[in-house]
Amino acid sequence: MATSAPPVDGRPARFAFIQLASAGDGTDKAANLEHAREKLAEAVKGGPEGRKPDLVVLPEIFNSPYATAVFRKYAERIGWSPEKRDTFDVSQTQSESIRMLSAAAKEHGVWLIGGSIPELSEDDKVYNSSPIFSPDGKLVAVHRKVHLFDIDVPGGITFKESDSLTGGDWQTIVETDFGKIGVGICYDVRFPELTAITARKGCIAMIYPAAFNLTTGPLHWELLQRARAVDNQIYVGMCSPARATSGDGYKAWGHSSLYDPMGKAVGELDEKEGILYLDIDTDVINKARTGIPVTIQRRFDVYKDVSKA
Ligand SMILES: O=C(O)CCC(=O)C(=O)O
């Protein structure tokens, strides 16, 4: 039996989370895209230290209002599927958001988790989808939010994504030059199995474009990220939109943040628009796994099949 966890593959890297404000009231898609394009150009400059990030992340549903009634209206046909992973040609997509994001990733030479956008599928369903680009502008993956945000907290918040969205049915892992990264979207963070499997497949981080609210944000936003990070001894981060300061639309919690494998905050924003730079290091993962060796102490003989429990 192994006495220490095998080291993870990867190298130190820098992330930039863009806590984006909607342009105006959020209803003007062209303005939202233009604002995101400008903020991407700002993020790659690397802030006061001038250190360019390896990976830039945008928030959940950044090109449309976050409202079930309008997802279909804003939805775009991307045309990517896991079967087309090696052959997908971004110049053929009908999606203007994908074209803008691909061009930005290529122009700036960065990995890009392009937040999420409403996607219209070939069979006319609408998904909440996160496109991921390599530094040459290739669309390497699209994560469709697996777990839909259907909740009803009396006196708090009621939201039912399944009114207009369908849940995705694949897990998303991207192989970058600094390590494997898992991607989920917002409510997906509440399902520890997705993160556990991602970590066991060798990921160094799990990143969620997200948009928590003012009921569950203060209670669970930080807790869920730290729990996923400590359980799996990886980095876990969520990138939120900035909180809208006017109007009666969705009010996001903000507080984009990243936690390390020991549960320590690498960085966190408040609720306002901003760019968060975050440095990660695989040594931190390896040290955590050597010191607290849960990765090699698991008892799958006792909890063989969690789905049947
Ligand atoms: O899980 C939560 O409390 C919030 C989730 C959410 O806002 C979302 O999935 O968009």
Side-chain angles (χ1 to χ4, degrees), residues 10-210:
R11 62 161 174 86
R14 179 164 239 229
F15 299 167
F17 286 8
I18 304 178
Q19 184 160 291
L20 197 69
S22 295
D25 64 359
T27 56
D28 182 342
K29 190 197 277 188
N32 291 336
L33 289 179
E34 179 54 20
H35 186 53
R37 206 181 59 76
E38 285 167 8
K39 283 287 174 190
L40 281 163
E42 183 185 333
V44 296
K45 291 195 181 121
E49 294 165 274
R51 278 182 48 224
K52 184 180 157 182
D54 300 277
L55 168 75
V56 182
V57 184
L58 287 169
E60 184 179 20
I61 304 289
F62 76 91
N63 70 353
S64 137
Y66 189 53
T68 53
V70 301
F71 287 148
R72 183 167 284 275
K73 177 172 162 219
Y74 283 78
E76 299 177 13
R77 286 192 191 276
I78 300 177
W80 188 94
S81 66
E83 297 71 42
K84 296 185 191 160
R85 191 184 303 272
D86 298 322
T87 54
F88 187 78
D89 177 358
V90 93
S91 70
Q92 303 298 312
T93 186
Q94 294 175 34
S95 164
E96 58 179 314
S97 302
I98 295 295
R99 284 197 299 273
M100 183 283 280
L101 294 168
S102 163
K106 189 169 175 182
E107 179 186 348
H108 304 305
V110 287
W111 288 91
L112 173 61
I113 299 178
S116 78
I117 62 173
E119 177 197 1
L120 190 62
S121 67
E122 309 287 311
D123 56 354
D124 214 39
K125 291 178 180 148
V126 182
Y127 293 89
N128 182 341
S129 299
S130 176
I132 303 137
F133 303 85
S134 54
D136 56 2
K138 186 169 181 241
L139 181 62
V140 294
V142 174
H143 180 73
R144 287 176 170 168
K145 187 176 194 172
V146 174
H147 307 92
L148 295 180
F149 177 40
D150 284 1
I151 68 167
D152 184 11
V153 182
I157 176 171
T158 300
F159 206 92
K160 200 159 174 243
E161 276 190 325
S162 64
D163 277 346
S164 60
L165 298 182
T166 300
D169 50 18
W170 59 74
Q171 185 195 6
T172 300
I173 292 178
V174 177
E175 293 212 28
T176 74
D177 55 304
F178 51 85
K180 286 192 206 170
I181 305 290
V183 178
I185 300 176
C186 204
Y187 199 62
D188 283 338
V189 75
R190 290 189 180 270
F191 299 84
E193 295 84 352
L194 194 65
T195 329
I197 291 170
T198 302
R200 290 186 61 214
K201 288 186 173 166
C203 286
I204 57 172
M206 183 83 190
I207 306 294
Y208 301 85

Side-chain angles (χ1 to χ4, degrees), residues 230-302:
V230 173
D231 277 355
N232 300 292
Q233 300 179 315
I234 57 172
Y235 288 90
V236 174
M238 301 215 276
C239 180
S240 172
R243 190 172 313 157
T245 49
S246 60
D248 53 7
Y250 191 86
K251 297 279 183 301
W253 173 236
H255 293 266
S256 296
S257 48
L258 182 83
Y259 292 87
D260 83 2
M262 293 297 277
K264 285 198 278 196
V266 182
E268 189 186 1
L269 294 177
D270 57 16
E271 76 288 359
K272 297 188 281 300
E273 186 165 60
I275 299 173
L276 182 64
Y277 292 99
L278 303 149
D279 292 310
I280 68 146
D281 188 344
T282 42
D283 272 358
V284 177
I285 300 178
N286 293 327
K287 278 198 191 111
R289 290 183 180 186
T290 305
I292 307 174
V294 291
T295 50
I296 54 163
Q297 292 170 329
R298 296 219 160 83
R299 290 289 308 274
F300 289 113
D301 58 322
V302 175

